[in-house]
Amino acid sequence: MDTLINLADGLAAALTPQNLMWAFLGVLLGTAVGVLPGMGSAMAVALLLPVTFRLDPTSAFILFAGVYYGGMFGGATTSILLNTPGQASSIATTYEGHKMALKGRAAQALGTAVIGSFVASVIGTLVVALFAPVMVSFALNFGPGEYFALTVFSFVAVAAVVSGSVVRGIASLLIGLAIGFVGIDGQSGAARFDFGSSSMLDGIDIVIVTVGLLALGEVLYIAARGKSAPNFAAIRTGRPWLGRKDLRRSWKPWLRGTAMGSAFGPIPGSGAEIPTFLSLGLERKLAERRERRTGEKSEFGQGAIEGVAGPESANNSSAAGTMVPLLGLGLPTSATAAIMLAAFQQYGLQPGPVLFERNADLVWTLLASLLIGSVLLLVINLPFAPLWAKLLKLPKPYLYAGITLFSVLAVYAINTSVTHLVMLLAIALLGLGMRTFGVPVAPALIGVVLGPIAETEFRRALAASSGDPSILVGSGISIGLYVLVLIAALVPLISLVRRRSAARRAEARETADRV
Amino acid sequence: MTSDDTRVSAEAAETAGTGGTDEAPTVEAAEDLRADVDQTTGTDEAEALDPETSVWRGPTAWVIPALVAVLGAVALWGGLTIEAPPNATRPGPGAFPGTVGVLLLVTAVCMTVVNLRNRNTGDGTSTLGWFESRPVLLVLAGLVVHVALLEFVGWLLAGALLFWIVAYAFGARAYLRDAIVALSMSAAVQVGFSLGLGLSLPGGFLEMVL
């Protein structure tokens, strides 16, 4: 009950006209960026990070929450209309969503995606509000040893899951960790990897890494793709709306997708893709069973609305779910969450149990703003989805020139120094290389953000035990976490294999259809 | 929000609420869509080359392993040579970089093994046939020029030049229109940032002239 009262207080604090404006702006920007292929909400948050230093923390996080949710939905729009998912979490939507569009049911596909996202966001946020305090009371028992185990857990989980190849995922994580070493060592004060440059002593700012790897790296990559880059020819659509029959078929997948996303969101490294694919698979199985039992024909493979409703709810509720470990433990489980953690740190706030005690009002306002964000998501996207599709008609040269300009601006704005722009160039080249050779960038981001935390906790633990390493496995919590590390390494591998075979089956069906 | 927009959203909310009995807009949309479908079928080819799942072949296969190995060597070297202050507790500041360096080198070895194993599969040509270096070099050149000029000619001109070069790299050829768009973008950013956020971007020599 306390939770609901706190949430109501947060809602009262968040519902100022000014904050509403930030939430509105966030959803707007998030959707706009999410619509652009290859650009997810992580990039939008990265580009906004330096701008928000001028805002107070509450407004900044409300803006970010809006961007996060908006980006999730923006990705669905292009998946459905153009068969080009804007980010990994909307890949599952393409299978049935684009088929619906081809059958002239784009409006219904968008409608079920918008409303599904809304339902999932609201329920997901309530789940977060209920579970974050539980996680906090659990985390209060954590010492440095446990925190180190936790970071190891998320390293392993992230590196093993996000990539098609585990070796590439681990390489990316290690590159991120290496970047994180640059600068003065917080524990001993020794200068590390400064290469004689005084501006390297402060370390490589997280904004430089995110903007370089995500935004500028992507621009270079698209330039390299040249003619083979996805060509978003103009597609138009009606206003999203749902008939009674579509609603009847959608509401159960919404709830099932939401449940899956909420369950997987808080698990480090699981990301939003796994629940979306699980949801797609589940809906397909259920439709087949329904066909056998009642004779209602399964539309899977020809544009089934269930195949859009389920995955789209799953990715939004898992976006909400990632807030549980972020706020409760200070543990980011996705690239966007990693950048949000960096944003907290820029304000001198450390997410985790202490944040709940010292800045409780901020936390509840943030949770409430997630609710506001989901309402705005519905308000903005239900009527304007066709407009978003028009964004793709912007001349491509201007689009990418604009992104380049804002990337440079974002980095220059941190501390008006040209040296940082040179670092940005180097990181952008690294990003281009990683993309070209298919090395995922998300593990690198997690490495940059979590690496220093892992090192600090490790060394604090050993300092506390005067060098006795048994402190690292000294409690049930850390042993449990290391067991989870093993599970985290194995389970995603199994589901990766299953997902691949599912994708292959879908592909086979597609080619069969074409013939 | 204009009055037009509010009308649209009110209408949409209504159709969503009543379950939508009005068929007219969707029929129209379906026709629009059908007309456009033919143009979008080309995206299927682009999907065929997903770098994350493709195997590295040819000489370029060694780029990432080499990069990882070099990073590993630097991290290991740093880990061994960082001077810890005398009062530092153990493990000192070099322990983590050293460990990560070793792990990077191990990863590079793993990649080498994978590459050697894949060497005899496929037709020996690089999987990077799609890579177009010209636009990439143009964008990079634009960035270098921007960084070099920023503090001399000011944000307005340096930013506009960057925009123009990147647009050119992506195939824009309406030079005059591009220049006008570039200048207005750059100017909008400068005005927006100095008025809205109180952030000063370098004015360059224009500041002295004006």
Side-chain angles (χ1 to χ4, degrees), chain A residues 414-430:
Chain A
I414 319 169
N415 41 14
T416 57
S417 118
V418 170
T419 326
H420 289 86
L421 288 179
V422 178
M423 288 187 212
L424 173 71
L425 257 173
I427 301 278
L429 271 177
L430 177 69

Side-chain angles (χ1 to χ4, degrees), chain A residues 289-330:
Chain A
R289 207 180 66 178
R290 215 164 33 234
E291 185 175 324
R292 277 200 307 276
R293 286 205 179 153
T294 62
E296 189 185 333
K297 216 174 135 23
S298 159
E299 281 186 37
F300 271 85
Q302 288 126 41
I305 196 164
E306 293 93 343
V308 179
E312 270 313 303
S313 321
N315 69 23
N316 267 65
S317 61
S318 86
T322 54
M323 293 289 164
V324 174
L326 178 66
L327 294 173
L329 302 173

Side-chain angles (χ1 to χ4, degrees), chain A residues 216-286:
Chain A
L216 214 47
E218 178 72 20
V219 169
L220 288 171
Y221 176 64
I222 299 274
R225 288 293 282 255
K227 285 171 205 74
S228 64
N231 171 34
F232 11 99
I235 254 196
R236 268 167 292 162
T237 155
R239 209 170 301 130
W241 63 274
L242 290 177
R244 200 159 297 149
K245 182 160 170 287
D246 291 325
L247 263 180
R248 188 176 55 77
R249 287 175 53 188
S250 288
W251 72 269
K252 278 188 212 150
W254 286 339
L255 295 182
R256 285 192 289 256
T258 304
M260 261 179 205
S262 305
F264 276 83
I267 300 174
S270 66
E273 308 142 73
I274 294 178
T276 54
F277 276 93
L278 284 178
S279 168
L280 181 67
L282 176 73
E283 295 307 331
R284 184 183 292 147
K285 289 243 166 59
L286 286 174

